[in-house]
Amino acid sequence: MIIILSWINLYSQNTYVFFGSFNLDKDAEGIYVYQLDTLRGKLSKVTSFKGILNPSFLTLSPNGKYIFACTESKTKNAGSVSSFEFDPQKKMLHFINSQKSGGENPVYLTAHQNGKWLINGNYTEGSVSVYPVLENGRIQPSVQHFQFMEGSINPGRQERSHIHSTVFSPHFDYVFLPDLGADKIRVYAFDHEKREPLTAVEKPFTATTPGSGPRHFTFHPNGKFAYCIEEMGGAVSAYAYENGKLNDIQRINTHPEKLKEDFESSDIHISPDGRYLYASNRGYENNIAIFSIQSDGTLKSVGYQSTKGKHPRVFAIDSTGKFLVATNTGSGDVFVFRRNRTTGSLKKVSSIQIRQYL
């Protein structure tokens, strides 16, 4: 079983943590909801949802009412995006609807700040789909679909385009699309008032180091800097950002210099105060790399924290910056770490076993 943390949200004085998974069977639990004790850092199960296949990635609507999921991921002749409503009073998840994702392996969803748009990235096919969303959380059929084809220098991993995330700019007027297969961070302008909101820009991509495999992407809270974690290169590339354009300022390893292979960097997040950046390493290390963020946007290595399990695919930081929650896909467990806001260091406070890896 692969366990994936998607987000943490402060909701009516309660902090809920939502986990997706590759459940491989609709009769098995696919989405899990836990409540986080914000004093002790302990997780307690609230509810779960069956009846949906492989809800591999989750994201939250801006108003906090709806959960959007990549569903039927890695499923032949399938692939979809789905919508759910969480009722905190009844402690239940309700399915709303699904739409075709445009590929067999949807891996990442992002929602516009106005709640009216959803963008999905399909990894295997290297494509992106755009969906309108109604006020009741119902996803409408896609209005745009972009297919990319070119690959890069690694024939085993980069035979073609592989879109791995879809990320809005700080003002929600651009969308960035890290393409692991092509070693590019693609970009489109976004106009939420248009029926087809994505439009081409003069500089359609930023090239990354050949063979680096850009994966996940995030912006600094001040909107001036952006950071991309490279799955294959095991590095974070830092950029100065302005009006849809990225300018390189640094590339720094997520692992010690002595480690040259057997790793796959995965996820990346910045603390709410903008002082620290965290990046996950899978494989031999299974840890979170910790960096302090300098005033010029560059990163300085602070240290590493083991995730206490195997293959940490994604993690999240709660909105207060107090806790980091890491999921280990290979061991099917979740660990909660308390953040030291001064030093950026992490200390384990609790863990849960959701289900063994299958």
Side-chain angles (χ1 to χ4, degrees):
M1 170 61 69
I2 299 177
I3 306 299
I4 298 173
L5 175 80
S6 192
W7 46 263
I8 300 175
N9 179 46
L10 189 64
Y11 198 129
S12 301
Q13 305 302 314
N14 294 314
T15 297
Y16 294 101
V17 186
F18 296 78
F19 301 91
S21 70
F22 282 94
N23 55 353
L24 308 178
D25 182 350
K26 285 186 177 182
D27 293 329
E29 293 173 301
I31 299 176
Y32 304 79
V33 184
Y34 279 73
Q35 186 170 341
L36 177 67
D37 182 329
T38 55
L39 293 178
R40 298 182 297 166
K42 292 190 174 182
L43 291 167
S44 56
K45 189 174 182 180
V46 175
T47 188
S48 62
F49 187 88
K50 298 180 181 180
I52 201 78
L53 185 65
N54 294 353
S56 65
F57 186 86
L58 312 177
T59 196
L60 177 68
S61 66
N63 62 11
K65 292 183 178 180
Y66 308 112
I67 302 161
F68 303 117
C70 294
T71 45
E72 299 179 297
S73 298
K74 293 187 177 180
T75 304
K76 188 175 179 61
N77 299 320
S80 57
V81 294
S82 300
S83 179
F84 302 82
E85 182 175 9
F86 176 57
D87 186 332
Q89 282 73 42
K90 295 182 179 179
K91 299 184 184 299
M92 293 181 63
L93 274 174
H94 303 284
F95 173 74
I96 298 174
N97 80 316
S98 294
Q99 296 288 352
K100 292 294 183 182
S101 63
E104 294 182 349
N105 191 12
V107 294
Y108 199 102
L109 280 169
T110 190
H112 191 272
Q113 64 177 350
N114 66 12
K116 297 179 179 180
W117 295 99
L118 193 65
I119 303 179
N120 167 67
N122 296 299
Y123 176 82
T124 303
E125 294 81 6
S127 63
V128 173
S129 299
V130 182
Y131 305 85
V133 179
L134 300 182
E135 289 187 6
N136 61 4
R138 181 171 290 270
I139 304 171
Q140 299 301 286
S142 67
V143 295
Q144 285 181 292
H145 182 79
F146 293 86
Q147 178 71 62
F148 308 104
M149 298 301 296
E150 71 269 32
S152 191
I153 65 171
N154 187 322
R157 297 289 309 279
Q158 298 178 310
E159 76 291 350
R160 62 175 297 166
S161 173
H162 296 303
I163 300 298
H164 219 312
S165 55
T166 58
V167 180
F168 276 108
S169 62
H171 295 298
F172 289 82
D173 50 354
Y174 293 92
V175 176
F176 288 82
L177 313 170
D179 187 335
L180 181 146
D183 287 324
K184 295 178 177 180
I185 302 173
R186 303 182 186 275
V187 61
Y188 282 82
F190 190 92
D191 186 340
H192 67 90
E193 294 183 348
K194 290 184 177 180
R195 184 185 179 277
E196 296 184 349
L198 284 185
T199 57
V201 296
E202 182 179 353
K203 183 183 178 183
F205 65 85
T206 296
T208 65
T209 299
S212 61
R215 179 184 170 98
H216 284 185
F217 190 77
T218 191
F219 284 93
H220 192 279
N222 66 16
K224 296 179 180 179
F225 308 112
Y227 303 88
C228 184
I229 190 164
E230 301 165 356
E231 177 174 326
M232 298 165 58
V236 172
S237 285
Y239 302 91
Y241 173 73
E242 186 176 8
N243 297 327
K245 296 180 176 63
L246 301 174
N247 293 304
D248 297 280
I249 56 176
Q250 184 191 27
R251 185 169 184 258
I252 185 171
N253 286 342
T254 61
H255 56 85
E257 289 288 342
K258 64 181 180 180
L259 185 66
K260 299 298 182 183
E261 57 184 21
D262 192 25
F263 63 85
E264 287 185 329
S265 296
S266 181
D267 202 9
I268 187 168
H269 295 283
I270 296 174
S271 59
D273 61 11
R275 297 183 60 192
Y276 291 95
L277 181 145
Y278 299 83
S280 57
N281 292 306
R282 303 172 289 179
Y284 176 78
E285 291 188 292
N286 296 315
N287 65 20
I288 303 288
I290 307 169
F291 300 91
S292 61
I293 303 176
Q294 310 305 297
S295 59
D296 63 356
T298 59
L299 304 176
K300 182 179 179 181
S301 180
V302 171
Y304 304 89
Q305 172 60 55
S306 168
T307 61
K308 309 291 185 178
K310 299 178 181 178
H311 211 73
R313 182 171 180 176
V314 297
F315 64 95
I317 300 172
D318 79 297
S319 59
T320 69
K322 190 175 181 180
F323 295 103
L324 182 149
V325 183
T327 61
N328 295 300
T329 68
S331 46
D333 46 24
V334 178
F335 285 81
V336 181
F337 298 90
R338 190 184 302 274
R339 287 188 61 249
N340 184 312
R341 301 182 192 184
T342 302
T343 66
S345 63
L346 303 171
K347 181 180 180 181
K348 176 205 162 186
V349 290
S350 71
S351 65
I352 57 171
Q353 186 78 40
I354 292 187
R355 185 178 291 184
Q356 290 294 334
Y357 177 81
L358 299 178

